[in-house]
């Protein structure tokens, strides 16, 4: 555990509000929010400005004290949980929660790392714009964490991941120097793009302290539809049809297996199937317009769905008649994880493959997993248009002790699913990153060239190894 | 000069067609195409496959022989010219000129590094798609060079630079290992994005051997318009008006100073001003539709220009009545550099600032340069919507010896213009990269944090310093 004399040095830099040592105050931040990783830290550093972050990192570098950057602590992979041995301090960005500027003319917002996503949503709305990235944890997740994990969500189809929305970055590098890259230049060819390197680096190369983010016009009118289809291949055909007819106003396109819908209908009070005919697969589509042009999104979506029915791509379809119904359609999608948990223990994978291969992957990988692990049921749901689904393998019916099943079968099932993903040319982490959870699998499944390059970059920029230790980079022996 | 015994080792690897040693065959590739940089090399290596590139790089690493990757040799900054001391060999990618796949369904093309841009344009057209990046050197520039320099051009406003169009990369790293990143995943959060690092690295971190590139629908209908405006600020207002009314179908938006237009009218046979009223500034707008919907682009552009006239944003405007006229409008824009050269010696800068600041920069920086260097005239033209213009400072009228003027004044004017760019939060290289030409200025004008990070990454991935020596990374003493 880091000693008191070291903590005193940080307190001298950051003042009493800048160093938290009360055990009860620290406790909630030592465990990831899913309760799978547990760490220890003698203090949370809470700098209030970029200069204070820089001073803290310079001191940590001098003393060789590792730092674990933390925003909303909503990592799905233990990416913000300190090591268990107490060797590191947490560096929280939550006090840096200012929106430094918000310019509707330039469609840009400059946010400090600790700004909570939903606060940015609200601020953008006030000036007639929106920040088009959203996810379940929006009430806690912070801009710094979203940048550092290249977060995704349900609007990637149209607007891309965080990488596409970041126009500039300010960061403190591991030696305490400040990288000033907030200027939003559309063209800039001055060598290695350090911003791109910091996006998705999970805090292992430095601490993002602020970002320039792109805004888009507010939604003036939206329509949400539901369609039943026979297969993921038909769902993809429906997406292509929708894109051809509706262009990039298709903002959401989610695929849901009928068994997943069934779990929602069983476990979520008030949930109803939006269409009369149950089909093996379901699709939720959202179409957004930034203006009030005619025909509006509902009429255009109805037209597209009618075509899909006519061509036999969809077996049934409905467009929400009002905003309450639209929200009810989305609630089904958003309740899937909760309903699955109520259904019983499961292993969950956040994976991607090239979009064109996804329909076959969804069917074949699920069949193969069920054959390889008798009694399990496998299915997937999510962002078909991004080639990214959440692939679940559920424990055999009646499994009482979930953790015991996972302890017994988890590693083998992980390897099986990840191998299938790699064989399909995909990624074992589409959205959630690597953190602690997937570090060894990343090592096992990556080419030596990729791992060697990552290790070399890490060692070059963080030679003392103080930035977010034990995250992302496979250890020796892990690949 | 690299010795014969070393060349023999490469010949043993690559065969007789893979090593060019004839002086006459080598000569054209030792000088950049603008004739400003001159190098020496005992041989050009010309591998025919990724495996051969990997073998050649591994051998070069073993022997400590630097390699200068070369595609079409169209660098504007001496980025593909070997050092003058003959210590390096050129590694040409031109034999790797296969389009490995072209999938209109996935909107993807996998091209080897030596594919010439215009060949990709033609191949995409055949399958009803297009690759939406074009520039003057398209008949020579190759995919590998375009990726390695993050090339821009006239379609960036809508489709982005090469960075936005690259879906995957295959590259040989400086130790001869192959980075296999061609799979086009829309979401992939497996750590540091090595593809982003290689894009724009100018061959200093490895050799791009192939890329997956995004295609877009072919143009079904286009309209090209011309407007006269009073100022760059009005030009930007016109762009905003056009975007609001025409959405992202605005594919080209170029600003031209009236004196530049005058040079074209004086020097280019057959050139005519598209509008009756001369204005201080001119704008060329292109609107493209991928389908034949009504109203078509000409009607919509006429409508937008009519609004601009009504609101006093434009003083005169015209839409090309047919394709021949549309091409004539574009020819004015494309002839600007040639006309400027005919006008007399000039220093040319490829710079960017944030879009909103560009109108003021264009006026104020030109005024300031003319005051600081009496007799000179300064003006700019180019991609206003990208915040990127080509800024020219012309020698005083009657300057007979251009090179002598540049030798006398060049460094001071360079520093003056670059300082103004940095003061406006901009980049001294928007499109062309750094190469040899801007290396020292990059060092002078970048923060120590940025330069240190770039040097650390270079040393980490290329510890023997064999990849494109003396390019991009400022030398000791250069920052």
């Amino acid at each position: 555990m880091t000693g008191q004399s070291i903590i005193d040095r940080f307190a001298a830099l950051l003042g009493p509000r800048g160093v938290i040592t009360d055990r009860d105050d620290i406790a909630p931040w030592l465990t990831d929010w899913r309760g799978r990783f547990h760490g220890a830290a003698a203090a949370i550093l809470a700098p209030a400005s970029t200069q204070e972050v820089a001073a803290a990192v310079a001191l940590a570098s001098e003393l060789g004290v590792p730092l674990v950057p933390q925003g909303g602590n909503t990592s799905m992979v233990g990416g913000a949980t300190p090591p268990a041995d107490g060797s590191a301090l947490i560096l929280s960005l939550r006090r840096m929660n200012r929106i430094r500027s918000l310019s509707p003319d330039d469609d840009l917002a400059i946010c400090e790392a600790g700004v909570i996503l939903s606060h940015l949503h609200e601020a953008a709305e006030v000036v007639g714009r929106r920040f088009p990235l959203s996810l379940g944890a929006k009430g806690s997740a912070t801009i710094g964490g979203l940048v550092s994990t290249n977060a995704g969500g349900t609007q990637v189809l149209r607007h891309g991941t965080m990488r596409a929305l970041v126009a500039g970055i300010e960061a403190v590098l591991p030696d305490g120097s400040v990288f000033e890259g907030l200027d939003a230049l559309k063209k800039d060819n001055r060598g290695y793009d350090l911003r791109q390197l910091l996006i998705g680096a999970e805090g292992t190369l430095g601490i993002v302290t602020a970002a320039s983010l792109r805004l888009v016009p507010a939604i003036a009118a939206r329509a949400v539809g539901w369609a039943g289809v026979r297969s993921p291949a038909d769902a993809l055909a429906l997406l292509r049809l929708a894109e051809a007819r509706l262009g990039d106003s298709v903002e959401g396109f989610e695929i849901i297996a009928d068994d997943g819908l069934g779990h929602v209908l069983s476990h979520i009070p008030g949930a109803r199937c939006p269409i009369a005919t149950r089909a093996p697969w379901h699709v939720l589509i959202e179409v957004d317009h930034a203006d009030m042009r005619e025909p509006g999104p509902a009429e255009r979506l109805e037209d597209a769905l009618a075509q899909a029915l006519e061509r036999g791509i969809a077996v049934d379809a409905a467009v929400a008649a009002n905003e309450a119904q639209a929200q009810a359609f989305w609630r089904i999608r958003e309740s899937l994880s909760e309903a699955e948990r109520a259904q019983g223990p499961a292993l969950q994978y956040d994976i991607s493959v090239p979009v064109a291969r996804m329909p076959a992957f969804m069917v074949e990988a699920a069949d193969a997993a069920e054959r390889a692990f008798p009694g399990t049921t496998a299915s997937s749901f999510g962002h078909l248009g991004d080639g990214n689904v959440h692939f679940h393998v559920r424990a055999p019916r009646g499994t009482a002790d979930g953790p015991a099943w996972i302890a017994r079968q988890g590693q083998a099932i992980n390897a099986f699913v990840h191998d299938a993903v790699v064989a399909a040319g995909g990624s074992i982490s589409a959205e959630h990153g690597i953190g602690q959870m997937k570090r060894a699998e990343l090592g096992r499944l990556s080419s030596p060239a990729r791992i060697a390059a990552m290790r070399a970059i890490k060692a070059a920029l963080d030679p003392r190894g103080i930035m977010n230790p034990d995250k992302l980079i496979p250890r020796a022996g892990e690949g």
Side-chain angles (χ1 to χ4, degrees), chain A residues 198-245:
Chain A
L198 290 164
I199 297 169
E202 302 187 17
T204 63
L205 298 179
I207 297 175
V208 172
T209 49
S212 302
L213 301 171
R214 299 186 211 286
L215 305 176
V216 301
I219 295 172
R222 78 162 179 166
V224 178
W226 193 278
V229 295
R230 282 185 203 86
S231 65
D234 280 356
L236 187 56
L238 176 57
L239 173 61
R240 297 304 179 220
L241 182 153
E243 287 176 331
R245 297 186 72 86

Side-chain angles (χ1 to χ4, degrees), chain A residues 60 71 80 131 186 201 249 276 333 345 387 426 432 437:
Chain A
F131 180 63
K186 291 199 170 181
S249 55
R333 166 65 183 85
H432 298 165
M437 196 170 89

Side-chain angles (χ1 to χ4, degrees), chain A residues 357-429:
Chain A
R357 288 190 219 170
M358 184 53 94
F361 179 87
M362 290 175 76
V363 174
E364 292 164 13
D367 285 353
E370 291 176 358
R371 277 197 309 274
F373 303 96
T376 62
T377 49
S379 71
S380 51
F381 65 91
H383 324 297
L384 180 65
D386 306 326
N388 166 214
V389 295
H390 302 291
F391 187 92
H392 290 191
V393 179
R394 289 187 290 271
R397 189 177 290 270
T399 300
D401 189 344
W405 174 72
I406 289 174
R408 210 166 52 243
Q409 293 276 49
Q411 211 174 349
I413 298 178
N414 288 351
F416 185 89
V417 173
H418 289 161
D419 287 350
V421 168
V422 170
S427 169
I428 63 166
S429 180

Side-chain angles (χ1 to χ4, degrees), chain A residues 88-105:
Chain A
L89 300 177
I90 291 173
L91 189 144
S92 168
L93 281 302
R94 282 184 299 278
R95 281 179 74 201
M96 288 188 64
N97 60 359
R98 227 162 32 96
I99 297 178
R100 290 190 193 160
S101 70
L102 191 61
S103 165
D105 287 343

